[in-house]
Amino acid sequence: MTSTQQQSQTAEEIEQYDVIIIGAGVTGLYALWRLRQLGFSAHSFEEGSGVGGTWFWNRYPGCRFDSESYTYGYSFSEELLQEWDWKEHYSGQPENERYLNYVADKFDLRRDIRLNSRVMSAVFDENENCWEVVMEDGNRARGQFLVTSVGILSAGYVPEFEGKDSFKGVSCHTGRWPQEGVDLAGKRVGVIGTGASGVQLITEIAKEVSHLTVFQRTANFCAPLRNSPIEDETQREIKESFPEIFKKCLETPGSFVHEFDPRSAMSVTPEERLEQYERLWQKSGFAKWLSNFYDVMMPGEANEDYAEFFRNKIRERVNDPVVAEMLVPKTHMFGSKRLPCESGYYEVFNQDNVLLVDVREAPIERITPAGIKTKDAEYDLDVIVFATGFDAVTGSLNRVYIRGEGGQTLKDKFANGPRTYMGVQSAGFPNLFTINQASVGNFVRAAEPLVDWVTEAMAYVRDNEYSLISASPQAEEEWTQHVADAGAKILRSQADSWFVGANIPGKARGLLTAPDTAPVMRAKRDEVAANGYEGFLLQ
């Protein structure tokens, strides 16, 4: 069928579903499975040529989980839990992608997924009370409900460097790494950015490049991951312990397996504090962040005490004291940004073939045909990697033209920050669930209960013979004010990070996710449902 023929589909030819899902990543796959269990016809339209979302696109060297593998997988199938063996405590991208493909095959999800189908627009038909989506190839589909499983960190961002397109070598963003890979062996490589992706990438490629130039704007607190293979006995123990593991994740603020020490850091002696810091430092993953004294994660004396301990750990690992100070974070509080985990990152800067460039002191002026020019110098490169992050949460929504009642677009409505009720719906956009806007923390642990709630809300609409569910303007206003007020007080709104949109020029600053803990959010959603979906308009 030609594009012209596709665009001239008649109303009878347009595919009809109860629910349309945009995306076939972690949440999209689970939403598809869950909707089937509830008796809905659902279809997912996925831009990529494979399923997996984040774990399909982010295939750069070194990409892996920073939460424990066995806490990240789906919990909905006991059979799946018992037959899948995670090979490492913190699994790498190739295995993560294999896992999500395994899930798609095991539950026969592919028959309801169309790959290579980028959704360009989603428009609400007020006469028919349904959503119509149009794909890049002209195909159209209609559904009563629309779920945007587009990811919170999927819209890659590259700054508008002058001359960006003039570079004669190879360049790419970490979030769109080519499937065939990039040949870096023996090459002069420049990496712009030292966030979570940059830290993982830099550590890995430093082993094979001839020269590596790292362009750093903001030094980060990067914690040792301490990854290792999962031994057979440990594998058996994990599989026996899944009920306890998931229960613990449900009880913690960020849905991780780690829980805070209820004591104040300042209530114990300096010796006891140091002993705790050192003990946690030797643990793997996020323990240093999420098993610490509770007030380490609050602005104040405890936070700064631990931050200085952390800074000294960085200084101990870098030979050149000048380079060490460049790598020591001083412009944001510990924990105000998501903590990158690393496996030898700081030691990379002890290599003779690695150069660290501070672009806060000497900003990048332009990309040249031969490489990168800063205020102070020019750097000849064969490859440029943009580890420059993402236009978080709203960025991926804004890349789809979404129009609700009265011709209003979601992009215009969110111009000064998200305006939603509990992150799941926005007034004037009935039957649209912006699912990832409400999910933060250990992703799958937060996403599963969220998808459960959203799909049960759809079932409530169907079973009670309503046709529409929409956030009320008043509930939206109160929630938006709650996010602003409560969000201003929490640690992750204090730094210039993607949490508040500060990494994107011109983006309104404000917390892009809920300020509440995962247990509090679940309780709020459950209470709303128990009260007949209070705060929503049903008709």
Side-chain angles (χ1 to χ4, degrees):
M1 186 185 289
T2 68
S3 177
T4 304
Q5 287 171 317
Q6 288 165 336
Q7 288 169 2
S8 63
Q9 285 172 299
T10 66
E12 293 76 24
E13 291 174 315
I14 296 174
E15 298 166 50
Q16 306 280 341
Y17 304 101
D18 295 328
V19 187
I20 290 172
I21 303 165
I22 305 178
V26 169
T27 49
L29 291 174
Y30 180 58
L32 193 53
W33 180 86
R34 191 76 179 82
L35 286 161
R36 277 190 194 167
Q37 307 307 303
L38 292 169
F40 288 99
S41 66
H43 205 83
S44 165
F45 294 92
E46 165 58 48
E47 177 184 357
S49 60
V51 303
T54 289
W55 303 109
F56 172 83
W57 294 109
N58 289 262
R59 50 184 73 243
Y60 60 85
C63 181
R64 67 175 58 252
F65 288 154
D66 52 16
S67 52
E68 291 76 6
S69 305
Y70 45 87
T71 73
Y72 192 97
Y74 294 115
S75 67
F76 67 86
S77 165
E78 179 63 23
E79 190 174 281
L80 174 65
L81 288 168
Q82 294 304 319
E83 67 189 18
W84 181 266
D85 292 339
W86 292 105
K87 302 293 189 292
E88 299 175 275
H89 286 276
Y90 301 90
S91 175
Q93 181 275 333
E95 185 182 357
N96 306 342
E97 187 183 8
R98 280 196 300 274
Y99 171 74
L100 291 165
N101 274 279
Y102 183 84
V103 170
D105 291 332
K106 179 176 177 62
F107 299 99
D108 191 25
L109 300 179
R110 294 186 195 277
R111 64 183 162 93
D112 291 319
I113 299 170
R114 183 173 301 168
L115 302 173
N116 302 303
S117 294
R118 184 183 173 202
V119 174
M120 302 299 291
S121 69
V123 174
F124 184 69
D125 185 329
E126 296 183 57
N127 295 319
E128 299 293 329
N129 286 341
C130 71
W131 285 91
E132 181 171 311
V133 300
V134 179
M135 267 57 74
E136 194 169 30
D137 64 6
N139 265 313
R140 293 183 288 168
R142 285 186 157 226
Q144 180 183 2
F145 299 99
L146 177 64
V147 174
T148 55
S149 291
V150 292
I152 58 172
L153 294 171
S154 59
Y157 167 67
V158 177
E160 289 301 321
F161 294 118
E162 184 182 336
K164 186 169 63 176
D165 298 328
S166 70
F167 181 56
K168 300 297 186 188
V170 174
S171 63
C172 64
H173 187 279
T174 52
R176 283 293 186 272
W177 200 262
Q179 277 190 270
E180 66 276 12
V182 180
D183 181 13
L184 300 175
K187 300 290 176 64
R188 300 166 301 173
V189 179
V191 177
I192 304 174
T194 55
S197 300
V199 166
Q200 291 182 331
L201 173 89
I202 288 162
T203 308
E204 195 62 28
I205 68 173
K207 301 168 185 174
E208 61 171 336
V209 302
S210 68
H211 192 274
L212 178 61
T213 308
V214 176
F215 298 87
Q216 172 187 273
R217 182 180 61 178
T218 306
N220 272 305
F221 292 97
C222 303
L225 180 63
R226 308 198 195 285
N227 189 26
S228 62
I230 295 177
E231 305 294 341
D232 291 345
E233 181 58 33
T234 305
Q235 190 83 251
R236 283 191 291 273
E237 290 172 4
I238 289 168
K239 290 187 177 185
E240 290 171 0
S241 305
F242 273 126
E244 293 80 15
I245 289 169
F246 293 139
K247 181 176 183 292
K248 191 169 187 179
C249 289
L250 282 172
E251 292 168 351
T252 60
S255 302
F256 294 97
V257 76
H258 309 283
E259 52 189 337
F260 288 110
D261 186 324
R263 298 174 298 165
S264 163
M266 296 297 117
S267 70
V268 302
T269 66
E271 292 75 21
E272 286 176 298
R273 276 204 305 277
L274 185 59
E275 183 183 350
Q276 167 110 314
Y277 294 165
E278 290 286 0
R279 181 178 58 79
L280 292 175
W281 192 257
Q282 298 308 317
K283 287 185 172 290
S284 62
F286 283 151
K288 310 101 173 137
W289 184 23
L290 302 173
S291 291
N292 220 320
F293 299 106
Y294 80 90
D295 51 352
V296 162
M297 281 299 286
M298 299 167 66
E301 190 179 3
N303 180 277
E304 177 53 28
D305 187 71
Y306 185 65
E308 189 56 25
F309 166 83
F310 209 118
R311 294 182 192 114
N312 286 330
K313 287 294 186 185
I314 297 171
R315 293 178 178 117
E316 289 171 7
R317 294 170 62 185
V318 183
N319 297 339
D320 184 330
V322 174
V323 175
E325 286 309 306
M326 290 169 67
L327 290 164
V328 167
K330 303 179 180 112
T331 59
H332 63 277
M333 287 180 276
F334 172 80
S336 59
K337 296 188 174 193
R338 189 177 170 101
L339 188 72
C341 289
E342 49 82 24
S343 302
Y345 173 66
Y346 291 108
E347 285 75 13
V348 163
F349 297 95
N350 296 330
Q351 295 179 203
D352 293 337
N353 66 331
V354 177
L355 176 67
L356 180 63
V357 177
D358 183 348
V359 296
R360 201 178 288 272
E361 288 293 316
I364 294 173
E365 291 185 341
R366 64 177 177 271
I367 309 290
T368 70
I372 293 175
K373 182 183 186 307
T374 69
K375 183 168 71 75
D376 290 351
E378 292 192 39
Y379 303 89
D380 290 344
L381 302 166
D382 302 309
V383 180
I384 297 175
V385 179
F386 296 101
T388 43
F390 298 89
D391 185 354
V393 181
T394 53
S396 46
L397 289 172
N398 288 342
R399 293 185 183 187
V400 181
Y401 175 78
I402 300 175
R403 193 177 77 207
E405 294 174 323
Q408 184 179 28
T409 67
L410 200 66
K411 184 175 182 178
D412 285 346
K413 184 167 182 184
F414 284 8
N416 294 314
R419 294 188 59 80
T420 71
Y421 180 35
M422 300 193 301
V424 296
Q425 273 210 333
S426 189
F429 295 82
N431 292 358
L432 167 63
F433 292 94
T434 51
I435 204 159
N436 291 131
Q437 207 274 319
S439 183
V440 72
N442 191 2
F443 195 77
V444 184
R445 297 282 64 76
E448 275 187 335
L450 179 59
V451 169
D452 290 343
W453 189 92
V454 165
T455 53
E456 284 159 15
M458 293 181 197
Y460 183 87
V461 171
R462 177 194 63 192
D463 297 346
N464 288 277
E465 299 182 351
Y466 294 112
S467 59
L468 297 176
I469 181 170
S470 180
S472 76
Q474 180 183 350
E476 177 185 282
E477 180 60 37
E478 289 172 359
W479 180 258
T480 302
Q481 194 60 50
H482 166 65
V483 173
D485 294 344
K489 300 169 188 172
I490 63 174
L491 193 57
R492 69 175 183 269
S493 68
Q494 306 305 311
D496 289 339
S497 74
W498 65 261
F499 286 136
V500 293
N503 61 321
I504 306 297
K507 188 168 182 173
R509 187 186 178 106
L511 189 65
L512 294 169
T513 56
D516 307 289
T517 66
V520 168
M521 277 305 299
R522 287 196 308 276
K524 286 183 176 183
R525 291 196 300 261
D526 289 347
E527 184 181 3
V528 162
N531 290 333
Y533 292 88
E534 185 178 21
F536 291 92
L537 305 175
L538 291 153
Q539 53 186 336

